[in-house]
Amino acid sequence: MDKLSYVSEGSTTAWSTYLQQIDRVAPYLGDLTRWIDTLRHPKRALIVDIPLQMDDGSIRHFEGFRVQHNLSRGPGKGGVRYHPNVDLNEVMALSAWMTIKCAAVNLPYGGAKGGIRVDPFKLSEGELERLTRRYTSEIGLIIGPQKDIPAPDVGTNAKVMAWMMDTYSMNHGTTITGVVTGKPIHLGGSLGREKATGRGVYITGREVARRSGIEIEGAKIAVQGFGNVGSEAARLFVAAGARVVVIQDHSATLFNANGIDLTALSEWQASNKNIAGFPGAEEIASEAFWSTQMDILIPAALEGQITRERAEILSCKLVLEGANGPTYPDADDMLTSRGVTVVPDVICNAGGVTVSYFEWVQDMASFFWSESEINDRMDKIMTEAMIHVWDKASEKSCSLRTAAYIVACERILMARKDRGIYPG
């Protein structure tokens, strides 16, 4: 069968990881397998040039992307990433994982993703705004509230979403708040959005821990990435009686066997922009993170972090994928063989897109909910989705990742089958 091969055979890129995941789910899909190549081909990929006048008057060019992987179940949904390593391969994979994620949680969306190859921390605020507005104008022909709804991702935030919303609105002559999610509250954003992904990690982790016989109270937690996702998940686990013993970000790896004070660390991070030098913990070698004694691991940074070699030495019983694609397929196999339960990204970190869906609905209706209403709705959706995936794994005697893909792919391919191909 034909596959898109933007990389060499056998490589371990994000897109090749995704393709391997699709290959693994194919035997479980019965008659729907006829349509599975739909999932191996992005529907649309846009590459744009973004010329930017810098503060010193010079002109630089940046490359931007927006990929719509699948729109069979609704408009595209997915974040915009500003990072030096962004490329088409990565954005394709991220958009595909969004397709699976939205279907696994049963949201009425397809999958999309975007990004610019740039280090946002090396730009002034004015340069960042001009970059964002030009990028939004360039991808404006394929985004919209009923077409494709961007959101924040690595390197972007509510302010960037406000610039995107304003640019799109100015180009259409009216305010269109529903074109993006993750906006400031006063511009149509939703309460609870900023903490939603981390909260979802905790909700799914709590449910699986209960069903696996893993005690959260007293559990040792390891967290890679201390942004919105990692910090909120860590906070909720500590509130439930666990202790976070090791935290890693791009600047340092911190260890404290008695538990790291998350409040003090957050204050340090706010003042210093990273966790390096925090006086309440010992700094250890970055690779030592993986051999630390832990019960629950939360990878909440970038993709491709858990290799087979690292999987061999992990001491945890449970992995909660707060990041997208943090585990390579051969590492997945190793963890399964060692009896480690992995809650896959497509269900574990779906809290963010779930509350993004709530934000979109609120914008469309111009009627807004309280934070407690939003949290209650998200808890219900995430818990029910996790139970459904758990039951599917038991029924098929497969991993939670394969079960989540079965659930999602059945929904996507049924939609594709029933819609048919136009023109026939």
Side-chain angles (χ1 to χ4, degrees), residues 129-305:
E129 179 176 355
R130 294 193 294 275
L131 180 82
T132 298
R133 290 186 181 277
R134 182 58 184 252
Y135 170 70
T136 305
S137 293
E138 294 290 346
I139 67 169
L141 69 163
I142 65 169
I143 65 171
Q146 300 292 349
K147 292 182 177 181
D148 179 359
I149 306 113
D153 196 81
V154 175
T156 58
N157 54 25
K159 180 179 288 187
V160 172
M161 293 303 107
W163 291 331
M164 291 192 72
M165 186 272 285
D166 182 70
T167 303
Y168 184 87
S169 296
M170 292 303 98
N171 287 339
H172 286 75
T174 186
T175 298
I176 306 174
T177 56
V179 68
V180 298
T181 58
K183 304 177 296 294
I185 301 300
H186 57 277
L187 291 176
S190 178
L191 297 168
R193 173 61 184 86
E194 188 173 338
K195 297 180 178 180
T197 305
R199 184 178 181 86
V201 171
Y202 171 72
I203 291 167
T204 54
R206 178 191 63 195
E207 189 64 31
V208 171
R210 182 176 68 81
R211 290 168 175 264
S212 303
I214 298 171
E215 288 289 336
I216 291 179
E217 187 169 358
K220 296 187 289 293
I221 310 289
V223 180
Q224 187 192 44
F226 200 64
N228 286 342
V229 181
S231 62
E232 180 63 12
R235 185 187 69 81
L236 291 170
F237 273 106
V238 168
R243 67 183 189 274
V244 177
V245 296
V246 60
I247 296 176
Q248 181 179 81
D249 76 354
H250 68 279
S251 68
T253 302
L254 304 179
F255 174 76
N256 187 329
N258 297 317
I260 297 171
D261 185 332
L262 299 182
T263 301
L265 180 59
S266 294
E267 292 172 354
W268 176 271
Q269 184 186 51
S271 298
N272 296 275
K273 308 304 180 187
N274 55 54
I275 66 173
F278 175 63
E282 172 191 358
E283 288 198 22
I284 61 176
S286 60
E287 201 59 29
F289 173 87
W290 305 99
S291 57
T292 302
Q293 286 299 307
M294 63 182 81
D295 299 306
I296 299 174
L297 168 63
I298 305 174
L302 296 174
E303 62 270 9
Q305 297 300 300

Side-chain angles (χ1 to χ4, degrees), residues 343-355:
V343 182
D345 49 1
V346 294
I347 189 79
C348 189
N349 68 28
V353 72
T354 300
V355 176

Side-chain angles (χ1 to χ4, degrees), residues 1-4 37 40-41:
M1 62 189 71
D2 293 332
K3 300 179 185 179
L4 290 181
D37 273 358
R40 295 190 175 107
H41 297 264

Side-chain angles (χ1 to χ4, degrees), residues 1 14 20 26 32 52 55 65 90 121 145 181 200 211 220 233 238 242 270-271 276 288 299 331 336 359 363 403:
M1 62 189 71
Q20 290 179 63
L32 290 174
L52 176 66
D55 290 343
F65 308 89
E90 177 188 58
F121 300 105
T181 58
R211 290 168 175 264
K220 296 187 289 293
V238 168
S271 298
T336 299
E359 180 178 335
D363 285 341

